[in-house]
Amino acid sequence: PQEWPGKGFIMSFEELQLAAPIQKAIKTCGYTEPTPIQAKSIPEVLSGRDVIASAQTGTGKTAAFMLPMLERLSTMKKGPKGAPRVLVLTPTRELAAQITDATRNYGKYLKIRSSVILGGSSYVPQFRDLGRSIDLVVGTPGRLIDHLERGSLDLSRLEVLILDEADRMLDMGFKADMEKITAAAPTERQTLMFTATMDRTMENLARKLLNNPVRVEVAGKRVTHDKIAQHLHVADDVRHKKKLLRHLIDDRKLTRAIVFSATKRGADRIAKELSADGHRAAALHGDMSQAARNKTVKNLRDGRIRLLVATDVAARGLDVNGISHVINFDLPQVAEDYVHRIGRTGRAGASGVAISLCNAGEDAIRLRQIERYIGHNLPQQVIEGLEPNRSLQKSEPKSKQGRSRSQNRNGGRSQGNKTHGNNRNKENRGGFKGKRSAGPKKKSGIEVVYR
Ligand code: AMP
């Protein structure tokens, strides 16, 4: 491993003195400077240390681990069959596919033998790839274990293990699989763990799997979404939600949206109904074949689809630019997923809109968890003619200060900085400007939007 004088941040890619083909690829990608996660992690990864990094998708975390991996792989001869030097473990097939794409871009001027080993895909190319000398494997836990057990994958020569979105792998029940895989790798390996959240569970996992790791955190643990206008609509029932959805997607500013559904069947149903209404809509969920999912994502990317109705798992790691709106038709089960979801919009400096539809009754607790997690309340909007009969605060207990939810819901904030909240409100209004005949009207602290 290389020594890095005065370890820590780097300011430019040149400082890293990566192999010329990698530098050339970085230029081809159009990257002019490292993102914060890259500036902080790449020197540490190159130095050979274990790293635990909290970073969300969209921060450039893939290059943060892949560039130093390519540097490592650029310098060695052929190894034995089916025994990769680097393994990237990911929770979902989509994320694996994205890492593979990124690797192809970053490694385009290198000869790296890599393979992607995913569940739900044919074994034939996997056996073929693993039957040869291989440098890098990207895969999901289940199928990798399958290959380990069949003897087609050998991890005894692994140099670096990367756990991407480790928190998500835990959420998805892959803990035992992760441990099995790490147990099959040499103890003196380098381990890199990337996670969107850093809580006690993650700390414990890191303690188990990593050796004296360097911690890397990029500013704002829960990524602030300054550029994303967030608000919510209260709905009486599913029919009401559908009416709201129909209204919301008529917004001309909505160029490309992801509509989140709690279930696969729900996603299918909504996509079907929207298509029947003449919208360019499609579903994305785990029951679809890999080929169908790839095609759908491509259609979204290419603009053939305007509305993607997805489940959390399917949309995880989805990296499509130009998503103008995220609509939570169903609130996420887990507060963190709210942040993952809305992070699909407002990418690459663009602004975005995140709208949550919330059931007046049963969603109140979930909403409160989300608001606590993000550190501020979601301002409520009401569309004239589509007002809810029930109000959210009725089903909620009084807060500690004895203040009712409605007083606290004026787009106000329970904590955090004020400017941020004000900006958000401004953005909210901007997002709906075209729909209004007059300026914003306040109705008991709720912003009214005209149809
Ligand atoms: P990731 O967090 O790895 O999913 O990356 C998010 C997006 O940022 C991807 O579209 C990358 O191509 C892009 N990206 C990664 N590193 C840089 C960089 N240094 N400069 C500009 N864009 C980058």
Side-chain angles (χ1 to χ4, degrees):
Q2 276 173 268
E3 266 306 313
W4 283 88
K7 264 193 234 159
F9 296 20
I10 44 138
M11 303 305 288
S12 72
F13 281 118
E14 286 73 32
E15 277 173 70
L16 291 168
Q17 298 179 353
L18 294 166
I22 303 175
Q23 295 201 39
K24 188 173 163 193
I26 293 171
K27 283 213 175 76
T28 309
C29 287
Y31 301 171
T32 49
E33 56 180 33
T35 66
I37 184 82
Q38 291 162 4
K40 289 183 188 174
S41 352
I42 295 178
E44 304 289 358
V45 178
L46 284 170
S47 80
R49 287 204 53 183
D50 282 7
V51 172
I52 173 160
S54 55
Q56 315 250 359
T57 296
T59 52
K61 70 184 166 70
T62 315
F65 62 77
M66 201 44 85
L67 295 175
M69 287 308 108
L70 293 174
E71 175 71 20
R72 174 186 280 265
L73 296 175
S74 69
T75 56
M76 268 255 288
K77 62 277 159 199
K78 257 179 155 175
K81 288 181 194 169
R85 295 173 59 198
V86 175
L87 174 65
V88 186
L89 211 52
T90 82
T92 64
R93 301 191 269 180
E94 278 71 22
L95 184 61
Q98 264 171 47
I99 295 170
T100 311
D101 284 350
T103 311
R104 209 167 287 138
N105 288 335
Y106 304 147
K108 87 188 326 170
Y109 304 112
L110 289 168
K111 273 210 178 85
I112 301 290
R113 286 153 301 211
S114 70
S115 180
V116 52
I117 305 288
L118 305 176
S121 306
S122 163
Y123 279 90
V124 179
Q126 300 184 0
F127 283 135
R128 187 197 58 215
D129 287 353
L130 295 175
R132 298 175 186 157
S133 165
I134 191 145
D135 298 309
L136 169 81
V137 169
V138 180
T140 47
R143 184 60 66 90
L144 286 169
I145 291 203
D146 194 359
H147 280 286
L148 265 180
E149 286 170 354
R150 286 166 185 259
S152 38
L153 175 67
D154 173 6
L155 294 181
S156 67
R157 306 207 174 213
L158 195 75
E159 295 167 29
V160 189
L161 173 67
I162 298 157
L163 309 166
D164 196 10
E165 298 196 353
D167 50 346
R168 178 49 50 136
M169 285 199 270
L170 282 191
D171 288 349
M172 290 171 69
F174 286 141
K175 183 157 187 262
D177 287 356
M178 281 158 86
E179 287 174 354
K180 221 179 216 177
I181 289 166
T182 46
T187 44
E188 63 275 19
R189 67 175 187 264
Q190 182 183 17
T191 311
L192 315 176
M193 185 162 122
F194 288 79
T195 169
T197 51
M198 189 69 87
D199 55 15
R200 189 164 302 184
T201 320
M202 297 316 298
E203 302 271 0
N204 288 341
L205 186 74
R207 209 166 300 127
K208 237 180 184 169
L209 305 181
L210 278 67
N211 175 23
N212 186 26
V214 183
R215 251 159 212 289
V216 173
E217 282 184 50
V218 287
K221 258 189 259 166
R222 290 168 193 170
V223 177
T224 54
H225 290 100
D226 287 337
K227 292 219 159 77
I228 304 174
Q230 305 168 60
H231 54 262
L232 73 93
H233 287 273
V234 174
D236 296 320
D237 51 25
V238 176
R239 276 186 51 210
H240 188 193
K241 275 193 179 180
K242 286 185 177 168
K243 283 186 193 157
L244 287 167
L245 180 64
R246 282 205 188 94
H247 173 81
L248 293 167
I249 59 180
D250 273 345
D251 187 347
R252 265 181 295 120
K253 291 208 179 88
L254 186 154
T255 49
R256 207 174 283 176
I258 303 183
V259 178
F260 280 95
S261 157
T263 63
K264 298 168 192 173
R265 277 176 52 206
D268 270 335
R269 206 176 310 128
I270 296 167
K272 212 176 266 171
E273 289 175 13
L274 293 175
S275 302
D277 284 350
H279 291 285
R280 287 177 283 125
L284 186 79
H285 57 67
D287 279 354
M288 293 160 62
S289 73
Q290 188 60 41
R293 288 154 88 178
N294 290 344
K295 192 170 159 218
T296 302
V297 172
K298 187 166 188 309
N299 282 342
L300 179 72
R301 249 190 211 123
D302 297 347
R304 279 191 291 275
I305 289 174
R306 179 169 167 260
L307 307 167
L308 182 76
V309 191
T311 56
D312 284 293
V313 172
R316 181 77 184 176
L318 190 75
D319 185 17
V320 175
N321 285 331
I323 304 283
S324 63
H325 288 61
V326 165
I327 300 177
N328 294 319
F329 187 84
D330 297 309
L331 285 184
Q333 301 277 350
V334 189
E336 283 161 47
D337 279 340
Y338 176 82
V339 175
H340 289 304
R341 285 182 179 188
I342 72 167
R344 309 288 123 220
T345 182
R347 290 227 164 172
S351 58
V353 180
I355 306 167
S356 298
L357 305 185
C358 181
N359 263 328
E362 58 269 38
D363 278 346
I365 292 171
R366 228 178 264 172
L367 176 67
R368 221 174 313 141
Q369 284 166 347
I370 291 168
E371 292 182 331
R372 204 178 307 128
Y373 185 80
I374 60 175
H376 57 84
N377 289 341
L378 294 178
Q380 184 182 342
Q381 287 189 337
V382 168
I383 296 161
E384 214 181 41
L386 289 177
E387 297 88 349
N389 292 321
R390 299 158 69 195
S391 66
L392 194 64
Q393 56 266 33
K394 277 187 192 149
S395 58
E396 292 184 311
K398 302 249 178 193
S399 70
K400 273 184 209 145
Q401 293 88 0
R403 234 180 354 176
S404 81
R405 195 66 167 180
S406 61
Q407 280 168 296
N408 203 16
R409 185 165 284 293
N410 295 345
R413 311 158 55 75
S414 47
Q415 44 182 281
N417 94 38
K418 218 172 165 194
T419 337
H420 189 163
N422 290 341
N423 281 344
R424 188 188 322 284
N425 286 336
K426 258 182 234 149
E427 282 174 13
N428 280 347
R429 289 191 197 115
F432 276 86
K433 234 186 203 153
K435 308 234 129 231
R436 240 184 254 118
S437 51
K441 182 169 123 185
K442 293 272 176 178
K443 181 177 161 187
S444 60
I446 296 168
E447 188 179 346
V448 181
V449 178
Y450 294 89
R451 304 185 78 178

